[in-house]
Amino acid sequence: MASHLPPRPTAQHSQADAGGMAADEHHHGPRGLKRWLLTTNHKEIGSLYLIFSLSMFFIGGIFAMVVRAELFQPGLQLVQPEFFNQMTTMHGLIMVFGAVMPAFVGLANWMVPLQIGAPDMALPRLNNFSFWLLPVAFALLLSTLVMPGGAPDFGWTFYAPLSTTYAPPSTTFFIFSLHLAGISSILGAINIIATILNLRTPGMRMMDMSLFVWTWLITAFLLIAVMPVLAGVITMMLLDINFGTSFFNAAGGGDPVLFQHLFWFFGHPEVYIMILPAFGIVSVIIPTFARKRLFGYASMVYATASIAILSFLVWAHHMFVVGLPLVAELFFMYSTMLIAVPTGVKVFNWITTLFRGSLTFEPPMLFALAFVVLFTIGGFSGLMLAISPADFQYHDTYFVVAHFHYVLVPGAVFAIMAGVYYWLPKWTGHYPHTRLSQWHFWLSVIGVNLTFFPMHFAGLAGMPRRIPDYALQFADFNMITSIGAFMFGISQLLFVAVVVLCVRGGEKAPAKAWDGAEDLEWTVPSPAPLHTFETPPRFEPDRH
């Protein structure tokens, strides 16, 4: 199946020249720390993103451990309510903006040029700048913990007027850090779009691209569309806090509900920004280990685009309890249910690809299968939340926390881990340690379900979210959840061990590390040379 785009006759020369110049420049470039500060190589920048994301994952995880340790038993145990609120807020902000998003950008940096036969990203210096904005942004965010009044304490959604009228003085620094992270995301998205549209190897048409490339192309457009909305809303917050405006202050003629509309117009596409690349990773891994072509390639592309478009029409399903008109509640209820259709298409296609495949269960496949099963559970609870009258019961309870985490942990995070295990042989030249990888997988799956499944029941029984103390009736659920959370958190040390051992050595991987792998990255040696495709590779179309 191919599109009817005309070939690019000049691409061959421009890519070859670009690859050669990059190679000469790098071989005479700096070494040591200066090399990493100034690098414009997509593989090195991808590695920097992934290392940064892993460090933020552990920092955000430590904050979550503080929350779960406090909630292990009823009563105030370890921390004061103010600090508990800071931990819940910082955990959410760091996991969303510092761990999940940069991990996907790191995978895109590494793999998109390899999968389309490009010598590098289209804008290498911009790529370097995009990354180095992030450590500055998150150093600024983390520094709020030691500022007078403490860190932001109003939840990761930073609703006004909590974040404007009643916020600690450090909120201004939090706003600046988000601005920097947002600029990084926008520049990275521009770079990815420019790379995919302009640097594909001759003969590769849009409908020949890997699903991972497709999902990232669509995600990049989402980022460009919604990050300016986030920038606008946090700038309005900044003005309300420091310059006496009243955008969200009802006493001055403003409207706190306006904040929610603006935030969720950004926030709901943001959820898909964190899951669409995961769909791409799973859509690459399942055909590889089923040793079959992906069922319904074109429908997967169209489903991804449909999800992205519909994500702009569903934001107010987070706001059913604010007093929306009935017609608005009905619109957002039905549009939210509609988004389940293209998502269901994807799940159907993955299952059909598995059907009668020659399956093997290497670590990437284990995480991909867990993704399909557990993400589907998150999708079903999302459908429950979409039903407006039922949402009045679920809203702001632990049921919502359970839904959100089933989408993001066994969804986005498991997909990232699957991608890392899948491409580690290409990055390092060695296979990941099988037994350690299996231990990591099973402890993670058991930990995730012990952590988040009981939250459904606590929420249905009426336990509110973001509280440091709770009634005795929720004690058992919270104890199981906290045990699972510590199991999941500690098991991630195995992930680090697997990656470190893989970098240091292990079983050697050939160029085509996995039997069923088809994409262009498996045509270059393992480990991938610093500069690949200095002359465009030969591409054989009609794979799908």
Side-chain angles (χ1 to χ4, degrees):
M1 194 178 300
S3 65
H4 302 289
L5 296 176
R8 293 179 169 77
T10 60
Q12 183 157 350
H13 306 295
S14 63
Q15 286 177 37
D17 296 346
M21 288 188 289
D24 292 343
E25 186 177 276
H26 189 86
H27 291 156
H28 299 103
R31 290 286 180 265
L33 180 63
K34 201 172 179 187
R35 165 189 168 183
W36 290 98
L37 284 170
L38 302 179
T39 181
T40 55
N41 184 279
H42 74 97
K43 299 181 182 72
E44 291 180 339
I45 293 172
S47 299
L48 286 171
Y49 268 110
L50 291 169
I51 292 164
F52 173 81
S53 164
L54 187 63
S55 64
M56 288 294 112
F57 182 59
F58 276 98
I59 290 170
I62 289 166
F63 295 162
M65 294 302 97
V66 173
V67 169
R68 287 318 318 172
E70 176 59 51
L71 293 172
F72 184 73
Q73 288 182 314
L76 295 177
Q77 312 290 330
L78 301 172
V79 297
Q80 293 300 309
E82 295 80 12
F83 188 71
F84 179 91
N85 291 342
Q86 292 173 34
M87 289 292 96
T88 54
T89 302
M90 294 292 277
H91 164 70
L93 290 170
I94 283 171
M95 286 304 199
V96 169
F97 296 105
V100 173
M101 289 174 70
F104 281 129
V105 178
L107 292 171
N109 261 285
W110 246 104
M111 301 318 303
V112 165
L114 286 177
Q115 291 193 331
I116 64 172
D120 207 310
M121 296 294 278
L123 306 161
R125 288 184 176 85
L126 190 72
N127 205 11
N128 174 285
F129 181 62
S130 298
F131 171 74
W132 285 110
L133 283 171
L134 281 181
V136 177
F138 285 90
L140 194 60
L141 181 60
L142 289 169
S143 71
T144 61
L145 284 163
V146 295
M147 290 181 184
D153 58 0
F154 32 68
W156 82 273
T157 52
F158 43 95
Y159 277 7
L162 277 179
S163 57
T164 51
T165 308
Y166 307 106
S170 62
T171 304
T172 299
F173 293 89
F174 147 75
I175 290 169
F176 280 124
S177 74
L178 265 194
H179 268 304
L180 291 173
I183 293 167
S184 169
S185 294
I186 291 169
L187 297 180
I190 290 168
N191 208 348
I192 287 166
I193 292 168
T195 303
I196 294 169
L197 294 185
N198 294 303
L199 293 187
R200 295 193 309 282
T201 195
M204 178 181 282
R205 296 177 181 176
M206 296 287 280
M207 293 303 279
D208 296 324
M209 300 191 309
S210 157
L211 249 295
F212 180 66
V213 177
W214 257 117
T215 54
W216 244 114
L217 178 65
I218 292 165
T219 300
F221 279 108
L222 276 181
L223 277 165
I224 289 173
V226 301
M227 292 311 286
V229 179
L230 177 67
V233 74
I234 59 177
T235 302
M236 292 158 83
M237 282 174 60
L238 190 73
L239 295 171
D240 271 12
I241 293 166
N242 295 292
F243 295 100
T245 58
S246 295
F247 290 110
F248 309 126
N249 182 1
D255 185 1
V257 177
L258 172 64
F259 177 93
Q260 294 190 35
H261 279 293
L262 291 172
F263 177 84
W264 286 116
F265 190 78
F266 147 78
H268 204 80
E270 164 68 15
V271 174
Y272 291 100
I273 285 163
M274 292 189 285
I275 204 66
L276 290 184
F279 291 166
I281 292 168
V282 170
S283 300
V284 167
I285 290 173
I286 284 178
T288 297
F289 295 101
R291 288 160 184 81
K292 283 174 65 183
R293 286 185 177 179
L294 181 69
F295 179 83
Y297 169 88
S299 65
M300 290 291 258
V301 173
Y302 301 140
T304 307
S306 303
I307 290 168
I309 293 163
L310 287 171
S311 73
F312 287 99
L313 305 178
V314 297
W315 77 88
H317 66 215
H318 299 270
M319 301 169 55
F320 284 144
V321 299
V322 304
L324 294 175
L326 181 61
V327 66
E329 286 192 19
L330 287 169
F331 171 81
F332 287 108
M333 180 170 77
Y334 290 133
S335 60
T336 304
M337 289 177 174
L338 189 62
I339 216 165
V341 175
T343 310
V345 167
K346 288 186 162 296
V347 175
F348 175 82
N349 285 12
W350 291 324
I351 292 169
T352 311
T353 304
L354 292 167
F355 183 65
R356 292 189 176 176
S358 180
L359 305 183
T360 52
F361 299 99
E362 283 88 347
M365 184 62 155
L366 290 175
F367 275 97
L369 292 175
F371 169 94
V372 174
V373 174
L374 298 178
F375 173 79
T376 303
I377 291 173
F380 280 135
S381 61
L383 272 175
M384 293 172 69
L385 288 162
I387 300 166
S388 172
D391 185 76
F392 278 65
Q393 173 71 22
Y394 306 138
H395 190 80
D396 265 345
T397 69
Y398 260 75
F399 190 88
V400 178
V401 180
H403 157 70
F404 186 66
H405 283 86
Y406 260 96
V407 171
L408 279 190
V409 182
V413 174
F414 272 23
I416 290 163
M417 290 170 179
V420 169
Y421 280 125
Y422 183 63
W423 285 308
L424 263 175
K426 185 54 56 189
W427 301 342
T428 66
H430 305 108
Y431 285 105
H433 191 286
T434 304
R435 186 59 57 85
L436 272 182
S437 304
Q438 289 169 342
W439 271 99
H440 171 232
F441 169 75
W442 286 111
L443 286 172
S444 294
V445 165
I446 294 166
V448 152
N449 285 293
L450 271 181
T451 305
F452 301 118
F453 207 75
M455 288 183 179
H456 291 100
F457 302 113
L460 289 173
M463 181 175 167
R465 64 198 294 195
R466 297 178 187 148
I467 54 168
D469 189 11
Y470 51 86
L472 196 59
Q473 72 198 72
F474 307 121
D476 292 345
F477 291 135
N478 275 289
M479 184 177 287
I480 296 167
T481 289
S482 290
I483 291 168
F486 276 93
M487 178 192 287
F488 178 74
I490 292 166
S491 65
Q492 301 321 305
L493 296 172
L494 288 173
F495 181 55
V496 177
V498 170
V499 172
V500 170
L501 288 173
C502 202
V503 170
R504 289 188 169 182
E507 184 188 344
K508 292 277 187 187
K512 187 175 179 179
W514 311 109
D515 283 348
E518 294 290 344
D519 290 304
L520 273 179
E521 72 263 33
W522 304 108
T523 62
V524 303
S526 298
L530 191 65
H531 297 285
T532 40
F533 302 133
E534 294 179 17
T535 56
R538 184 180 174 190
F539 177 72
E540 300 290 341
D542 299 324
R543 288 182 305 138
H544 305 293

